[in-house]
Amino acid sequence: MAWFDDFEHGYGHPGPIRVEGGLRARSKRGSIGSTWWSRRFIDILERVCDKGRLSRGRAYARQGQVLSIDLEAGEVRAAVQGSRRTPYAVVVRIEAFGESRWAELEAAVAAQAVHRARLLAGEMPPEIEELFAAAGVDLFPRDLDMDCSCPDWGFPCKHLSAVLYLLAEAFDDDPFLVLAWRGRTREQLLGSLAADRPAEPPAVADVPFAERLADFYAPGASVHRPERRPAAAAPGLLLRVFPPPADLGQALAPAYDRLGERPEEP
């Protein structure tokens, strides 16, 4: 009966050993995963995996049969209690990106102010999947290298399915786990994005409005706040800041110089 050792239906088998304190899915019925990123992960699984075993995996996840899940770069390891006394060992592997690839991805994220701001705020912008694709990689894995120590020959077995569904719920709680699985922890990514913060704009003196009442509506200088004329621009400065086409530079130089001159006193 070894081949049917952990089949919870048929052949008179009693089903899995119930455990106390296992990891239990929050979802009681229907689909698992509520955010766009966890649903994206589940959609990939449900397209390529056996629907019957996925259904039994959801039942295992909701019963609390998964004892532990540990995620690190490129690998998830878990223990699932079946009908045998010894829990089954589950391993799910994906590609973890190297430092050079992550440097490229972080630079691409930092170049998009909105994406960068949302990640720094703890959110996962939907456009980040396209950003990864533009770099030639997938944010969500298309291929999973999965293994379970159970005797079930199906792929994936219900033990693997239970772990994958609970992993999706973990992604709901912390979207940075998706990136950590690819090789970048939250601390590493946010530290890199914070270090790439653009230069702060120059400080501008804040004058209280009450002190501006005397001249706020005046068209120009007043006796209370004499006009401060700007210093004349250095010759050729405007040409360097706003360079015209090469063949016009010499012809426009006198006009640019006159624009930078101080106007004559009335």
Side-chain angles (χ1 to χ4, degrees):
M1 295 293 291
W3 289 108
F4 309 107
D5 184 51
D6 196 27
F7 286 6
E8 65 266 61
H9 298 292
Y11 304 99
H13 201 276
I17 298 172
R18 297 303 177 99
V19 297
E20 296 292 335
L23 303 176
R24 192 182 297 270
R26 293 188 299 270
S27 167
K28 303 303 181 184
R29 60 179 62 85
S31 61
I32 290 180
S34 59
T35 58
W36 76 263
W37 51 86
S38 64
R39 284 307 314 166
R40 183 77 177 89
F41 179 63
I42 291 297
D43 288 344
I44 293 171
L45 297 179
E46 294 181 344
R47 283 202 307 269
V48 301
C49 297
D50 178 81
K51 296 188 185 306
R53 286 181 173 81
L54 286 174
S55 176
R56 293 193 288 274
R58 284 195 298 271
Y60 261 51
R62 287 167 174 150
Q63 291 168 13
Q65 297 300 123
V66 179
L67 303 178
S68 63
I69 299 179
D70 296 306
L71 182 148
E72 59 185 34
E75 186 175 88
V76 166
R77 289 188 173 273
V80 182
Q81 181 64 61
S83 60
R84 293 180 176 180
R85 186 176 300 277
T86 302
Y88 297 122
V90 168
V91 182
V92 185
R93 300 180 182 89
I94 65 171
E95 179 189 3
F97 305 141
E99 285 299 318
S100 60
R101 176 66 75 183
W102 268 113
E104 178 186 354
L105 292 169
E106 288 171 348
V109 172
Q112 301 291 328
V114 175
H115 301 349
R116 179 175 170 278
R118 292 184 67 176
L119 282 168
L120 287 171
E123 302 176 14
M124 179 78 77
E127 298 82 1
I128 195 171
E129 192 171 9
E130 298 176 5
L131 187 149
F132 272 62
V137 295
D138 293 316
L139 173 59
F140 298 97
R142 296 179 183 271
D143 298 311
L144 297 171
D145 178 11
M146 301 186 287
D147 183 62
C148 179
S149 61
C150 79
D152 189 351
W153 60 84
F155 181 80
C157 64
K158 54 186 166 291
H159 315 107
L160 278 165
S161 299
V163 170
L164 295 173
Y165 278 118
L166 287 177
L167 192 59
E169 280 203 344
F171 292 160
D172 275 336
D173 297 333
D174 184 1
F176 288 91
L177 287 177
V178 179
L179 304 177
W181 204 12
R182 284 297 196 189
R184 215 48 156 195
T185 66
R186 172 198 290 260
E187 292 74 19
Q188 289 173 322
L189 179 64
L190 296 188
S192 174
L193 295 180
D196 289 336
R197 181 179 291 112
E200 297 291 336
V204 178
D206 183 18
V207 180
F209 181 70
E211 298 180 12
R212 295 294 310 275
L213 290 177
D215 65 344
F216 186 77
Y217 295 103
S222 71
V223 294
H224 302 288
R225 190 177 298 275
E227 181 181 4
R228 295 181 179 177
R229 297 183 181 276
L237 175 61
L238 293 176
L239 275 175
R240 293 196 298 272
V241 177
F242 305 106
D247 56 343
L248 294 179
Q250 185 174 359
L252 293 177
Y256 271 63
D257 289 339
R258 284 196 296 272
L259 288 173
E261 293 176 357
R262 184 196 298 250
E264 296 182 1
E265 296 291 340

